[in-house]
Amino acid sequence: MRTQTIQKVLKPLSEAPEQVYLGTGVHTLGLLAWILEQTGRANVLVTTFSTSEEFLSGFYNLRKKGLIFKATMLADLKASKKTVKLEPLMRKCFDEVYLASNHSKILIVTGAKNVVSVVSSQNNTYGGRAECTFITTDTKFSSDLGEQTWKLIDQSVKIDGIHERTTAED
């Protein structure tokens, strides 16, 4: 989704520090780009049940532009067959990728001056269904959400060349 369209349904974070959107057309990647326009270069923490090559390619482009400093992803174990096939691209996008029993769809963008948290029903894929997205710049919310996410990551499995090791063994 292009930022112009997001601007039609969302207000700048400085005007609306908490907002919600229920509908079609607002995808995680476009939302991330829109947030980064407002935060500047940032660390990004992403959780998802499933991801896609399209999302990862777009994320990689944001990274190449220097908009993302450090990036971490947590994906679901059940979707790991698809996830590990995308591992080479994921390694270009993220400093660390983890797998856990996870169905959450979270985005935490930590810039130099502020933090933005997004809780969504949408995976890092593209579909035409209505999705619900909540965005906030509340630091307590982001701190609590980040702390709980890192607790889950601490119990997860880190993808670190697992695709190469498992396919080499086959």
Side-chain angles (χ1 to χ4, degrees):
M1 164 165 218
R2 303 184 80 181
T3 303
Q4 287 179 335
T5 307
I6 289 176
Q7 291 172 339
K8 289 179 182 176
V9 296
L10 297 175
K11 295 178 181 171
L13 296 169
S14 60
E15 292 177 24
E18 289 188 353
Q19 46 194 314
V20 65
Y21 177 72
L22 175 61
T24 59
V26 174
H27 298 287
T28 307
L29 182 64
L31 187 60
L32 175 59
W34 177 79
I35 291 169
L36 289 169
E37 287 176 2
Q38 297 171 76
T39 63
R41 189 173 189 216
N43 292 331
V44 178
L45 174 60
V46 177
T47 74
T48 188
F49 177 78
S50 179
T51 194
S52 67
E53 187 172 347
E54 294 82 8
F55 173 84
L56 294 171
S57 294
F59 194 97
Y60 180 63
N61 287 334
L62 292 173
R63 196 118 204 219
K64 284 193 321 188
K65 290 178 183 175
L67 297 172
I68 297 170
F69 179 64
K70 182 176 181 194
T72 304
M73 175 184 264
L74 174 67
D76 187 72
L77 279 166
K78 286 187 179 181
S80 64
K81 191 171 190 175
K82 175 183 176 184
T83 303
V84 283
K85 288 180 182 177
L86 294 171
E87 183 183 358
L89 183 53
M90 292 172 87
R91 289 163 113 191
K92 291 179 181 180
C93 297
F94 295 93
D95 299 289
E96 301 171 319
V97 178
Y98 298 91
L99 298 175
S101 181
N102 174 64
H103 201 257
S104 67
K105 291 92 174 173
I106 297 168
L107 186 61
I108 302 175
V109 181
T110 306
K113 296 180 183 175
N114 57 356
V115 62
V116 180
S117 290
V118 176
V119 178
S120 178
S121 62
Q122 181 173 352
N123 287 301
N124 295 337
T125 56
Y126 297 92
R129 291 187 250 174
E131 301 282 356
C132 185
T133 302
F134 171 72
I135 305 160
T136 182
T137 60
D138 182 272
T139 54
K140 172 82 168 104
F141 181 94
S142 296
S143 176
D144 290 348
L145 184 61
E147 183 179 313
Q148 292 174 38
T149 303
W150 283 105
K151 281 182 183 177
L152 182 57
I153 288 172
D154 287 342
Q155 302 168 20
S156 68
V157 175
K158 185 175 183 180
I159 295 180
D160 188 17
I162 196 168
H163 180 65
E164 285 97 4
R165 289 194 308 271
T166 55
T167 53
E169 292 171 5
D170 287 344

